[in-house]
Amino acid sequence: MFNQYRQFKAQYPDCLLFFRLGDFYELFMEDAEIAARELDLVLTGRDAGAVGRVPMCGVPYHSAENYIAKLIEKGYKVAICEQVEDPKQAKGLVRREVVRVVTPGTLVEPRLLEEKRNHYLAAVCQGKTGFGLAYADLSTGEFAACELQGASGLRQLLEELGRLEPREVLLEPGLETAPGITEPLKLQGAAFQAYDAKAFRHPDAYRRLCEHFGTHSLRGFGLEELELATRAAGAVLQYLEETQKTSLGHITGIQVYFPGEYMTLDPATRRNLEITRSIRDGSRKGTLLSVLDRTVTSMGGRMLRSWLERPLIRLADIQARHEAVAELVENPLMRAELRSLLQDVYDLERLAGRIAYGNANARDLVALKHSLVALPSLKILLGDARSRRLQELRDQLDMLDDVRDLIERAIDDDPPYNLNEGGLIKSGYNAEVDRLRKAAREGKGWIAALEVREREKTGIKSLKIGYNKVFGYYIEVTRPNLHLVPDYYIRKQTLAGAERFITPELKEIEEQVLGAEEKVVALEYQLFTEVRQQVAKEVARIQASARAVAELDALASFAEVASAYGYVRPEMNDGDEIWIKDGRHPVLERVLPEGSFVPNDCLLDTRENRLLLITGPNMGGKSTYMRQVALICLMAQAGSFVPAAEARLGVVDRIFTRVGASDDLATGQSTFMVEMTEVAAILHAATRRSLIVLDEIGRGTATFDGLSIAWAVAEYIADPERLGAKTLFATHYHELCELEGLIPGVKNYSVAVRERGEEVAFLYKIVRGGADRSYGIQVARLAGLPRAVIERAQEILATLEQQEGQRRSRREAAMARARQPVQLTFFEARPHPVVEELLSLNVMALTPLEALNLLYRLQEKAREQR
């Protein structure tokens, strides 16, 4: 047996081998030591022949799932080695096989998966033109691939991996040493490994995909000309075949997509906008998803999440979703009945996956039947739908009457969880099952009658007939009555207070009863697998209806939220304007008391309102305002209504955010370096159709350096020849307010405050014009700093302001002299008066803004003189 174990272990050296021995999975040697440590199991030992005594531990087979889940969570892979023949019928050593390898990206057990989140396995390869990416969710059968080309290929790859958050990534050999890929995967917590190079070869991948889908080419899937995507998809499929060792019939197709077809959100933007994960603790509490997700099915929840992670940019698709949501908002009775019907629908996608995978039990088939019962009512309800998308979804619903009827006829309405206990098949479906059940019932009746007769014959009133798996049926007599036992009783077992006997008649009846029970259990299992296989042939139809149901659920969720929270349908167009009246932050308004959130307007375009420069105190609402504008645009393009009184929105291709400050200890980057890296990525990737949100650029370094960088970034973005993107730019550098008037398209806005002596009240209203103070000391007082610290800060501030006022007076006098008309020449014998004036100034005392203003004016005068 141990030699058998070592043979399997040699085939799966990177896995912990769960070796089935009776009712336990055993682990040996180093695997046992690892499992004992990670699972807190007792480590024992076992004699392994010539090898001697080896470490050993084990877990009961019926609870192995929980132990395996813990090991997978800790980054291990588990190979499950099962007994594939009945030990009673085995001649010599029981035959065993590895029936499955469980890895982080290949979980299918319902208890190990989040209901409203996909569980992806991904593969990445690289070629001369860029990267190939493919991913699959084994639990649902979703399979997709894309290519990421050109100089921006790596950035796009990381954005896609950030969106997908795969649990496991297969890397083409060589990429596992590329820190630009592996470091982000480590931060995501994804398991990754270099995988078989042959799996990534195009001819092998192409052949494998064609064989799986039963096609002569991949042209019908759109993969024919996409070599990198084909290579990555082939690697995913080979890995699934190697690890699962069973049918992948629920993977019925592959979706080819191009990232440019959707709004792009980089990892920083996903984090800063808290779309699906809270910055605070990584949960969904306090996120946009937590507000918008009122889905009543798991698959609807997964679809809505994917919509928020990948908003649309094609205007017709956006308007189609809005039209469907609008009809459901305007027809609350239809919406309520739709959601009521959907509550009776189980997770059709994962049910179909388990059925095709071959691990669905009878209860799964019953759940499928109950779900299919709701489909005709859904179709009738949508019979009068006006919106084009609701009509399309209605037509996509396959009633699957044949599948429902088969399950109804064959499977018991309340079957057991386990498949080896009988009770799976409904009476009347199979005549032999009915006959064997009757024989078993009658045999038990004979046993009950035999018990009555034996009591009368022997006079032992306490005599009873019992059963256990070791001895079968037996007659039990208590010790005080042993003198009444007749001679034909055969003793089988002695207990402390009784003895157990058998008789020839009892054994004869036992053979009839147990024989019938064993036969009916085996026959029921056979019939069940036949029914499951028939249903598995219709998986593609089930998946099509599942997608339609999921989308109906997501649309109904948007409508339910819009109705409950007073959202409006945005007017969408392909223009460049973002106009919002009384916009609200969708998450924050749900946290604050009803009606206390202060709404704000916004006007952005690529002409006169390209860059809104927002100044004002901390805690005044600048960041909230900018985030709410970004979230409103994202929600609208995902298909949702928006929290505003009115909204007219041009489609944006990307949203960028640079908000907050934190060190990146994992990569050794300081706060300022992280900030500059993110700003650089924005400036390189943004287009005129993008929306940019920048919060306090340059605050992580010295004041003059920070101001200079913030000034230069604002100039670059606002320049239509360079970028010209719609931008919200919050800052505490009040000198930047001078940009309005110097650079076309820049407008100053500020957060309104009300001062009462030393007290300040934040009004949370964004108003036209720049702020001249940041109210830092007042905010510090609100934060609870000691009075002594506040008073000392006020003294220091007064001194600094006095000194700055004196320096400003000297600078203004010097600049006034510099404004006098001058004739610039290279031929004067002595320095020009302006040059002399500059030389006389304390240049280090000039702020960057003052120096730039002086240079601007000199340049203008020189141009006039020329």
Side-chain angles (χ1 to χ4, degrees):
M1 185 274 297
F2 194 71
N3 285 336
Q4 187 186 50
Y5 168 84
R6 288 197 294 182
Q7 289 172 7
F8 287 119
K9 182 60 184 175
Q11 296 173 27
Y12 299 92
D14 59 337
C15 300
L16 298 178
L17 185 64
F18 271 45
F19 192 77
R20 182 72 178 268
L21 277 175
D23 289 339
F24 280 80
Y25 286 112
E26 304 289 1
L27 298 96
F28 299 100
M29 303 178 73
E30 185 181 357
D31 285 5
E33 294 173 346
I34 293 172
R37 180 180 69 247
E38 299 289 2
L39 301 176
D40 196 23
L41 301 175
V42 176
L43 187 66
T44 61
R46 179 163 181 159
D47 182 27
V51 180
R53 192 169 181 81
V54 298
M56 166 185 164
C57 68
V59 299
Y61 83 94
H62 56 78
S63 59
E65 188 177 287
N66 294 329
Y67 291 104
I68 292 172
K70 291 178 182 178
L71 291 171
I72 296 301
E73 192 67 29
K74 293 174 181 286
Y76 296 98
K77 296 193 288 186
V78 176
I80 301 175
C81 186
E82 286 285 3
Q83 298 173 168
V84 292
E85 66 176 337
D86 189 343
K88 297 177 182 177
Q89 301 175 359
K91 296 180 180 179
L93 191 63
V94 176
R95 188 162 57 88
R96 293 179 173 84
E97 289 180 7
V98 172
V99 297
R100 183 184 170 202
V101 178
V102 186
T103 72
T106 60
L107 295 176
V108 294
E109 291 76 11
R111 286 179 288 181
L112 306 184
L113 299 171
E114 288 187 46
E115 289 186 353
K116 292 189 174 183
R117 186 176 176 186
N118 285 101
H119 197 97
Y120 289 124
L121 165 74
V124 177
C125 64
Q126 186 174 16
K128 294 180 180 179
T129 59
F131 294 90
L133 170 67
Y135 61 89
D137 183 340
L138 185 60
S139 69
T140 65
E142 181 183 356
F143 192 20
C146 70
E147 289 191 351
L148 309 135
Q149 303 277 9
S152 62
L154 178 59
R155 172 178 54 77
Q156 290 182 313
L157 172 65
L158 297 181
E159 289 170 350
E160 280 299 284
L161 291 173
R163 175 181 70 86
L164 296 169
E165 294 184 327
R167 293 294 302 275
E168 185 177 6
V169 182
L170 311 174
L171 299 175
E172 186 178 20
L175 293 180
E176 78 279 6
T177 59
I181 294 176
T182 58
E183 291 303 320
L185 290 177
K186 289 177 184 177
L187 293 176
Q188 285 182 213
F192 60 88
Q193 60 172 307
Y195 186 51
D196 182 10
K198 186 180 178 183
F200 286 99
R201 294 176 189 164
H202 184 259
D204 295 283
Y206 189 97
R207 174 185 50 78
R208 184 173 297 107
L209 290 166
C210 287
E211 288 177 354
H212 176 79
F213 294 124
T215 60
H216 295 294
S217 76
L218 300 177
R219 194 173 304 279
F221 299 106
L223 269 177
E224 189 71 18
E225 310 300 329
L226 302 179
E227 179 178 330
L228 292 173
T230 300
R231 289 169 54 199
V236 167
L237 191 58
Q238 177 175 309
Y239 188 75
L240 291 176
E241 290 172 347
E242 287 178 353
T243 57
Q244 303 313 295
K245 303 181 185 296
T246 188
S247 167
L248 300 175
H250 62 307
I251 299 179
T252 57
I254 182 168
Q255 177 198 3
V256 176
Y257 71 99
F258 301 92
E261 296 173 340
Y262 302 92
M263 180 196 290
T264 303
L265 302 167
D266 62 19
T269 299
R270 296 178 189 280
R271 180 182 67 250
N272 293 331
L273 294 183
E274 298 184 285
I275 300 170
T276 60
R277 285 178 178 270
S278 165
I279 292 177
R280 186 178 300 104
D281 58 10
S283 70
R284 63 175 270 165
K285 184 179 180 180
T287 64
L288 180 64
L289 178 64
S290 69
V291 173
L292 297 182
D293 185 7
R294 287 202 178 185
T295 56
V296 294
T297 70
S298 300
M299 51 195 170
R302 291 193 296 271
M303 180 166 285
L304 188 143
R305 183 189 183 106
S306 73
W307 286 357
L308 296 182
E309 291 176 329
R310 194 166 63 168
L312 302 167
I313 61 173
R314 188 168 174 269
L315 181 60
D317 294 339
I318 298 169
Q319 291 174 332
R321 281 188 192 169
H322 286 168
E323 184 183 9
V325 173
E327 181 169 357
L328 292 172
V329 169
E330 294 163 4
N331 193 336
L333 293 178
M334 175 194 282
R335 184 176 77 246
E337 188 173 351
L338 173 63
R339 286 167 56 81
S340 176
L341 289 171
L342 292 175
Q343 286 177 344
D344 295 328
V345 178
Y346 291 79
D347 194 337
L348 287 174
E349 287 180 330
R350 286 183 171 164
L351 282 174
R354 291 200 294 278
I355 290 167
Y357 191 82
N359 67 343
N361 60 27
R363 291 184 181 179
D364 289 329
L365 292 187
V366 172
L368 174 61
K369 179 188 72 175
H370 289 323
S371 301
L372 299 183
V373 167
L375 298 187
S377 298
L378 279 174
K379 195 150 192 166
I380 293 171
L381 177 64
L382 297 172
D384 297 327
R386 302 186 311 276
S387 66
R388 177 172 56 84
R389 189 57 190 156
L390 290 182
Q391 292 172 352
E392 291 171 348
L393 293 173
R394 176 196 63 205
D395 296 339
Q396 290 171 18
L397 286 173
D398 186 333
M399 298 299 94
L400 294 155
D401 294 332
D402 52 335
V403 174
R404 185 185 67 246
D405 292 345
L406 172 62
I407 299 172
E408 175 63 32
R409 286 186 291 107
I411 305 300
D412 192 87
D413 292 334
D414 187 22
Y417 179 81
N418 294 320
L419 298 179
N420 57 358
E421 298 178 0
L424 305 176
I425 302 301
K426 186 175 286 187
S427 297
Y429 178 71
N430 181 272
E432 182 63 12
V433 168
D434 294 344
R435 188 189 69 77
L436 290 171
R437 283 177 177 168
K438 181 179 179 182
R441 283 195 304 270
E442 290 177 350
K444 290 180 179 179
W446 296 336
I447 288 173
L450 178 63
E451 181 181 80
V452 173
R453 289 201 307 272
E454 290 300 319
R455 283 179 183 173
E456 292 174 351
K457 264 201 237 178
T458 62
I460 304 171
K461 294 183 179 180
S462 61
L463 181 148
K464 63 180 181 181
I465 296 179
Y467 172 83
N468 64 34
K469 291 183 179 181
V470 177
F471 297 111
Y473 286 99
Y474 56 82
I475 298 172
E476 184 172 292
V477 179
T478 56
R479 194 165 292 279
N481 294 306
L482 289 178
H483 65 284
L484 298 174
V485 171
D487 294 339
Y488 60 87
Y489 275 29
I490 304 170
R491 182 179 285 106
K492 290 294 292 183
Q493 187 181 17
T494 300
L495 305 177
E499 291 196 9
R500 291 174 175 173
F501 303 87
I502 60 172
T503 68
E505 184 181 6
L506 180 61
K507 287 286 109 180
E508 184 179 338
I509 298 173
E510 177 185 275
E511 288 179 8
Q512 295 178 15
V513 173
L514 296 185
E517 287 181 342
E518 289 177 1
K519 288 178 182 177
V520 77
V521 167
L523 180 57
E524 284 194 68
Y525 179 75
Q526 176 188 332
L527 293 170
F528 169 78
T529 57
E530 291 174 0
V531 171
R532 186 171 63 187
Q533 288 168 3
Q534 290 182 57
V535 174
K537 294 176 182 177
E538 311 302 330
V539 157
R541 294 169 58 200
I542 297 171
Q543 289 174 327
S545 286
R547 286 190 292 270
V549 169
E551 187 167 342
L552 286 169
D553 193 13
L555 292 170
S557 178
F558 278 163
E560 187 74 9
V561 172
S563 178
Y565 300 151
Y567 292 179
V568 299
R569 178 178 179 175
E571 179 186 331
M572 303 299 299
N573 57 66
D574 276 325
D576 63 2
E577 184 181 75
I578 295 175
W579 177 76
I580 301 169
K581 180 176 175 56
D582 289 340
R584 313 185 304 275
H585 192 292
V587 180
L588 190 55
E589 76 162 342
R590 304 267 49 87
V591 177
L592 297 175
E594 186 73 26
S596 62
F597 187 89
V598 178
N600 277 293
D601 301 342
C602 179
L603 175 60
L604 278 165
D605 54 40
T606 57
R607 299 177 302 279
E608 299 302 315
N609 301 277
R610 283 195 294 275
L611 189 147
L612 306 189
L613 195 70
I614 306 169
T615 50
N618 287 315
M619 295 176 59
K622 299 189 303 296
S623 296
T624 297
Y625 173 72
M626 295 191 301
R627 283 188 172 103
Q628 82 184 31
V629 172
L631 287 172
I632 285 173
C633 291
L634 186 151
M635 290 169 63
Q637 291 184 221
S640 171
F641 283 15
V642 299
E646 295 180 64
R648 185 169 60 249
L649 307 174
V651 174
V652 300
D653 62 352
R654 303 183 62 125
I655 295 177
F656 295 96
T657 63
R658 161 88 278 276
V659 180
S662 62
D663 292 342
D664 189 344
L665 300 179
T667 59
Q669 293 185 327
S670 67
T671 298
F672 184 65
M673 186 61 181
V674 171
E675 178 183 322
M676 291 299 99
T677 301
E678 292 183 2
V679 171
I682 292 171
L683 298 184
H684 286 301
T687 72
R688 284 175 61 86
R689 294 185 65 199
S690 301
L691 172 62
I692 301 175
V693 173
L694 299 175
D695 193 2
E696 299 187 38
I697 295 299
R699 68 178 178 178
T701 187
T703 302
F704 285 178
D705 286 351
L707 174 56
S708 301
I709 291 170
W711 183 293
V713 168
E715 275 189 346
Y716 185 94
I717 293 174
D719 185 351
E721 298 299 321
R722 291 174 168 174
L723 184 52
K726 298 179 285 290
T727 304
L728 297 167
F729 195 118
T731 184
H732 284 290
Y733 296 130
H734 297 136
E735 296 87 344
L736 293 182
C737 292
E738 293 295 327
L739 286 172
E740 182 178 348
L742 293 176
I743 301 177
V746 177
K747 294 288 177 65
N748 285 324
Y749 286 84
S750 60
V751 181
V753 297
R754 180 185 296 120
E755 295 183 69
R756 294 175 180 172
E758 294 184 355
E759 302 295 326
V760 60
F762 302 126
L763 304 182
Y764 304 109
K765 200 70 179 175
I766 304 298
V767 296
R768 190 73 170 86
D772 57 359
R773 296 181 59 188
S774 288
Y775 301 94
I777 292 177
Q778 286 86 344
V779 172
R781 180 186 291 111
L782 292 174
L785 264 66
R787 178 182 294 274
V789 173
I790 297 297
E791 291 175 351
R792 177 58 180 154
Q794 289 173 328
E795 294 173 2
I796 295 171
L797 176 63
T799 302
L800 293 174
E801 287 179 340
Q802 182 180 6
Q803 293 173 351
E804 177 62 22
Q806 294 170 353
R807 284 195 293 269
R808 186 180 297 112
S809 297
R810 290 196 296 270
R811 289 195 296 269
E812 289 174 353
M815 292 172 70
R817 291 193 294 273
R819 295 192 191 102
Q820 298 173 1
V822 295
Q823 175 65 48
L824 297 180
T825 174
F826 294 104
F827 305 105
E828 290 182 285
R830 65 185 183 81
H832 191 279
V834 173
V835 177
E836 287 185 329
E837 184 67 36
L838 283 172
L839 292 173
S840 69
L841 288 173
N842 180 4
V843 179
M844 295 303 294
L846 288 175
T847 69
L849 176 61
E850 291 165 341
L852 285 168
N853 276 333
L854 182 59
L855 290 173
Y856 273 129
R857 292 189 178 93
L858 289 173
Q859 186 180 36
E860 287 298 315
K861 291 188 179 297
R863 187 177 294 114
E864 290 171 6
Q865 292 297 326
R866 285 198 299 274

